[in-house]
């Protein structure tokens, strides 16, 4: 017979995350996740990266994991920094790996602490939504990740409350953030010229038609299995 875990143990991951976020803010860590800080320290960062390429890449991935797992602001700055330091492809891939691992850690913490409690208290409507999300979880996750209209931290947490499996969550996150991440990394690769002009990068590029329309097309493609299933169900 299984034993119910104590309440304090169930909520321990959330307490740890909240404590870590508070410590990060109190220490001023979030202040370094800005374009001003990057512009001010770019020469030192580039020199250290050139001298310690492997260590710099590992440190970048670990830093990105912490940013996402702690839901700190500055994810866009971190992604552009990856492109600036390592180039579009390597920097973009490093950002995708860091973001996926960080989001997965947050997902596990939320599911462990709150998932069981919320599902136990959920009404019929939420349970029905959970069943539908489970059935087409990958499609829904890809749409949520591809379209930049949804806050990243919210998409990290919502699947944990809807019973999505860890495997599907990790795959959907990795694939879904690929396109936009590489767009930002490509912008980051040209940050040197932007800083030389005394400007800041234009992050609205992801909402421009040449970028947004392909993302919407990919989101529509991800929804095809859901639409096909509904069509077959409604067809006599």
């Amino acid at each position: 017979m299984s034993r119910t875990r104590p309440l304090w143990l169930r909520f321990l991951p959330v307490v740890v995350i909240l404590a870590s976020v508070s410590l990060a803010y109190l220490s001023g860590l979030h202040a370094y996740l800005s374009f001003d800080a990057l512009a001010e320290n770019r020469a030192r960062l580039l020199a250290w990266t050139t001298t310690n390429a492997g260590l710099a890449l590992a440190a970048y991935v670990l830093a990105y994991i912490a940013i996402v797992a702690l839901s700190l602001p500055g994810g866009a700055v971190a992604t552009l920094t990856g492109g600036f330091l390592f180039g579009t492809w390597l920097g973009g891939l490093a950002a995708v790996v860091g973001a996926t691992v960080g989001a997965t850690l947050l997902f596990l913490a939320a599911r462990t602490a709150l998932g069981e409690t919320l599902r136990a208290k959920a009404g019929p409507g939420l349970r029905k939504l959970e069943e539908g999300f489970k059935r087409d979880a990958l499609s829904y996750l890809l749409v949520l990740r591809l379209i930049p209209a949804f806050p990243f931290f919210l998409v990290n947490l919502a699947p944990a409350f809807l019973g999505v499996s860890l495997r599907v969550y990790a795959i959907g996150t990795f694939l879904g953030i690929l396109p936009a991440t590489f767009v930002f990394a490509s912008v980051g690769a040209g940050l040197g010229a932007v800083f030389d002009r005394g400007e800041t990068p234009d992050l609205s590029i992801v909402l421009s038609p040449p970028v947004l329309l392909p993302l919407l097309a990919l989101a529509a493609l991800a929804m095809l299995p859901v639409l096909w299933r509904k069509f077959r169900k409604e067809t006599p």
Side-chain angles (χ1 to χ4, degrees):
M1 184 174 63
S2 60
R3 298 173 58 185
T4 303
R5 288 178 302 163
L7 187 62
W8 70 268
L9 185 59
R10 199 180 308 172
F11 284 88
L12 182 60
V14 170
V15 173
V16 172
I17 288 178
L18 291 177
S20 300
V21 172
S22 301
L23 181 61
Y25 275 95
L26 290 174
S27 65
L29 177 61
H30 63 288
Y32 291 95
L33 301 174
S34 67
F35 292 119
D36 290 340
L38 179 59
E40 183 180 345
N41 297 284
R42 61 171 174 154
R44 281 176 288 179
L45 283 172
L46 285 172
W48 189 74
T49 300
T50 301
T51 308
N52 308 274
L55 181 59
L57 186 61
Y60 173 78
V61 173
L62 289 174
Y64 209 119
I65 291 172
I67 291 169
V68 175
L70 299 177
S71 297
L72 296 177
V77 176
T79 305
L80 267 67
T81 301
F84 176 65
L85 295 177
F86 308 107
T88 300
W89 298 110
L90 182 57
L93 181 59
V96 169
V97 171
T100 301
V101 175
T104 301
L105 291 175
L106 185 59
F107 167 84
L108 288 173
R111 188 174 70 173
T112 301
L114 300 174
E116 296 176 6
T117 302
L118 289 179
R119 282 195 292 274
K121 296 182 178 180
L126 185 57
R127 292 196 187 99
K128 186 176 181 180
L129 177 63
E130 180 180 354
E131 291 173 3
F133 205 96
K134 278 184 178 180
R135 185 170 56 248
D136 299 298
L138 184 58
S139 294
Y140 287 131
L141 261 176
L142 287 173
V143 171
L144 292 173
R145 292 299 191 190
L146 285 166
I147 300 178
F150 305 102
F152 192 71
F153 79 93
L154 184 60
V155 181
N156 289 342
L157 292 174
F161 306 145
L162 294 173
V164 176
S165 70
L166 175 61
R167 176 176 173 273
V168 170
Y169 179 85
I171 293 174
T173 297
F174 184 87
L175 295 178
I177 65 177
L178 275 173
T181 299
F182 278 105
V183 169
F184 278 115
S186 67
V187 174
L191 272 183
V194 174
F195 288 149
D196 288 339
R197 296 194 299 268
E199 301 173 354
T200 56
D202 183 13
L203 299 184
S204 65
I205 185 174
V206 76
L207 298 177
S208 63
V211 176
L212 184 59
L213 291 179
L215 291 179
L216 292 175
L218 288 173
L221 185 63
M223 286 299 293
L224 283 180
V226 180
L227 298 176
W228 174 248
R229 186 176 291 108
K230 289 185 177 180
F231 174 78
R232 291 188 60 184
K233 185 177 180 180
E234 296 175 358
T235 302

